[in-house]
Amino acid sequence: MTSRTLSAPHGGSTSLSAADAVYRKVSWRLIPLLFVCYIAAYLDRVNVGFAKLQMQDALQFSEAVYGLGAGIFFIGYFLFEVPSNVILHRVGARRWIARIMISWGLLSAATMFVNSPMTFYVIRFFLGAAEAGFFPGIILYLTYWYPAARRGKATSLFLAAIPFAGILGGPISGWILQGMAGVNGWQGWQWMFLLQGLPTAALGVLVWRYLDDRVKDAAWLSPDERALVARDIAAEGTGKAEASIWSVMSNGRVWLLALVYFCFVSGLYGISFWLPSIIKAIGVTGALDIGLLSAIPWSFGVVAMYLTARSADRRLEHRWHSAIGAVVGAAGLLMSVAMHGNATLSMVGLTIATMGIMSTLPVFWGMPTAFLGGAAAAAGIALINSLGNLSGFSAPFMIGLIKDATKSTDAGLHMLAAFLVIGAVLVLWVKPSKQPVASSTR
């Protein structure tokens, strides 16, 4: 079989294998650091679910108080998300992401000093404000380095940090809760916030020293390699909207995508915040055992997410991949409730749910990044993410209210399954984009 060649700068040619090598080089440079940063980000969001195993009793918080405190993070996140991403687009990812990580790492560590509902609410609000812009900033940043036909796989590798945060964070959080309890007179949940917050601030310093804002700044690529990537990104940009922020805010497709994302993320945060409590409810008692078991659904979620994103990249199709993943996630949640009396089958249901929910995420982000560019992408991605992540406020709070009223999470999981099905229906209404394929992409 002959090797296919493609036009390259200065009248030369570039084979697909050579282009693949360039993008592998880009991925090895960027993705590992971004991956570790997002593990820190996601642990910062969900470690409150593990802290609940001790913190709730220690501070005498009701389920509703705890759910409100866990969720109020996303109010601060919502209010500052769009401005943060617009600033990132203007000043560069390196300095802004570093600022975000240092500030949220210090605030996360400070959560160890919470001693009342009000201090819990206040620090969670400012923690959300500090982290605002990190996730949409990275999604925007990836559009600077990968064309559409390669972005889904890169996004899935970045988003694999979510299940890996569950795989690593569960056992680590469980160990800290048990093993560090009483050290220096602090409780295990206090040590958990401290030991997971300070490394985040250190990662922010690493981002400042290591990350490059744009392809033109990448001294680790040769001139020809920089030209290849820049050409691919420029070719794709010709099909995207470069519009004002206000026109993005009035774009019906952006709002529909935000509603879809709200439904998908409801399922994600329902699993993330309540998985430890659900595992405890099926009969597992030790914090370390709960942490180890919680790694199982996330492990399968990594595989499902990567394979789904790879399939979507090959077919340049996102709507049906997202819809099917959401339906599978809903089915898994329903199974976990139906098999509540059987710990093994209930865990199988939670694992299926996590696989379905996780597989929707990288595929979903292929839709807005296919038609938004420049400042429009910065504002649009942030708007979709901020509105979608309001479910991180509503889902834990509603589940907390339901559990207070019914003494069970079953009805709450039914609610999350319904959100996923609604999201699956709505995503099929999204008008598909004709994504330009740059000359050196598959």
Side-chain angles (χ1 to χ4, degrees):
M1 183 173 68
T2 59
S3 175
R4 186 176 158 203
T5 60
L6 303 158
S7 62
H10 314 302
S13 64
T14 303
S15 68
L16 278 173
S17 60
D20 289 344
V22 173
Y23 283 103
R24 277 196 299 271
K25 191 173 181 180
V26 170
S27 294
W28 277 111
R29 173 75 183 195
L30 300 181
I31 298 299
L33 177 58
L34 299 179
F35 177 87
V36 173
C37 289
Y38 198 38
I39 285 180
Y42 205 74
L43 280 177
D44 171 55
R45 294 188 194 183
V46 302
N47 60 9
V48 70
F50 278 95
K52 180 178 184 289
L53 299 172
Q54 293 180 353
M55 187 181 183
Q56 185 175 14
D57 290 338
L59 301 179
Q60 297 297 298
F61 289 170
S62 69
E63 294 286 351
V65 165
Y66 205 86
L68 177 59
I72 207 168
F73 169 100
F74 295 97
I75 302 300
Y77 193 88
F78 169 76
L79 293 174
F80 292 94
E81 184 90 324
V82 173
S84 179
N85 221 35
V86 172
I87 292 172
L88 182 147
H89 181 65
R90 290 176 178 172
V91 307
R94 182 176 66 92
R95 68 180 70 179
W96 197 246
I97 291 174
R99 191 284 304 164
I100 288 171
M101 296 192 68
I102 292 169
S103 59
W104 109 55
L106 295 176
L107 281 166
S108 182
T111 308
M112 67 182 293
F113 299 114
V114 164
N115 57 14
S116 67
M118 184 53 66
T119 56
F120 188 40
Y121 299 155
V122 168
I123 202 160
R124 290 286 296 174
F125 174 84
F126 282 107
L127 186 61
E131 193 190 315
F134 174 78
F135 176 80
I138 298 300
I139 296 297
L140 177 65
Y141 184 67
L142 292 177
T143 69
Y144 301 159
W145 294 86
Y146 297 94
R150 297 181 184 270
R151 197 180 307 129
K153 182 179 176 182
T155 304
S156 73
L157 292 172
F158 166 63
L159 291 178
I162 297 176
F164 266 98
I167 294 167
L168 300 175
I172 291 171
S173 297
W175 177 82
I176 294 172
L177 289 174
Q178 279 189 197
M180 297 297 291
V183 176
N184 199 43
W186 294 339
Q187 297 182 42
W189 65 268
Q190 293 176 299
W191 276 109
M192 188 187 69
F193 284 118
L194 179 66
L195 295 178
Q196 293 179 355
L198 293 183
T200 300
L203 279 171
V205 176
L206 185 60
V207 165
W208 173 265
R209 296 178 60 87
Y210 190 78
L211 211 61
D212 293 298
D213 284 328
R214 297 276 187 161
V215 175
K216 64 181 177 61
D217 304 315
W220 41 273
L221 290 175
S222 70
D224 283 346
E225 289 169 337
R226 288 196 296 271
L228 181 146
V229 176
R231 184 183 72 246
D232 287 354
I233 300 302
E236 182 180 83
T238 59
K240 294 182 179 180
E242 177 67 64
S244 70
I245 294 173
W246 296 115
S247 66
V248 171
M249 299 295 183
S250 62
N251 186 308
R253 184 156 49 153
V254 169
W255 285 93
L256 178 57
L257 285 167
L259 183 56
V260 169
Y261 196 55
F262 179 94
C263 294
F264 289 170
V265 177
S266 292
L268 174 64
Y269 283 123
I271 290 287
S272 300
F273 285 128
W274 291 93
L275 183 59
S277 297
I278 293 168
I279 294 174
K280 184 177 181 180
I282 63 178
V284 181
T285 55
L288 181 56
D289 292 334
I290 292 172
L292 291 170
L293 282 175
S294 71
I296 295 173
W298 296 119
S299 300
F300 282 90
V302 172
V303 178
M305 180 172 63
Y306 179 80
L307 293 177
T308 304
R310 190 173 178 181
S311 173
D313 268 2
R314 286 177 175 174
R315 295 166 175 79
L316 284 177
E317 196 292 315
H318 299 93
R319 297 182 307 149
W320 281 101
H321 282 78
S322 293
I324 292 170
V327 170
V328 170
L333 288 176
L334 294 176
M335 177 180 173
S336 72
V337 173
M339 300 300 174
H340 204 278
N342 185 310
T344 300
L345 291 179
S346 185
M347 279 299 297
V348 170
L350 288 173
T351 300
I352 293 172
T354 306
M355 292 172 68
I357 293 166
M358 290 305 305
S359 67
T360 65
L361 301 181
V363 178
F364 170 86
W365 284 110
M367 289 183 276
T369 56
F371 71 92
L372 295 171
I381 292 169
L383 178 64
I384 291 167
N385 190 62
S386 62
L387 290 171
N389 272 284
L390 284 177
S391 61
F393 169 77
S394 61
F397 184 48
M398 286 189 289
I399 293 177
L401 290 175
I402 290 168
K403 189 175 180 184
D404 276 343
T406 66
K407 309 305 178 186
S408 170
T409 56
D410 290 1
L413 294 179
H414 284 143
M415 175 192 70
L416 297 180
F419 274 124
L420 289 169
V421 172
I422 292 169
V425 172
L426 291 176
V427 79
L428 296 177
W429 286 2
V430 177
K431 182 181 178 182
S433 299
K434 291 184 178 179
Q435 296 170 322
V437 180
S439 61
S440 58
T441 61
R442 293 187 188 277

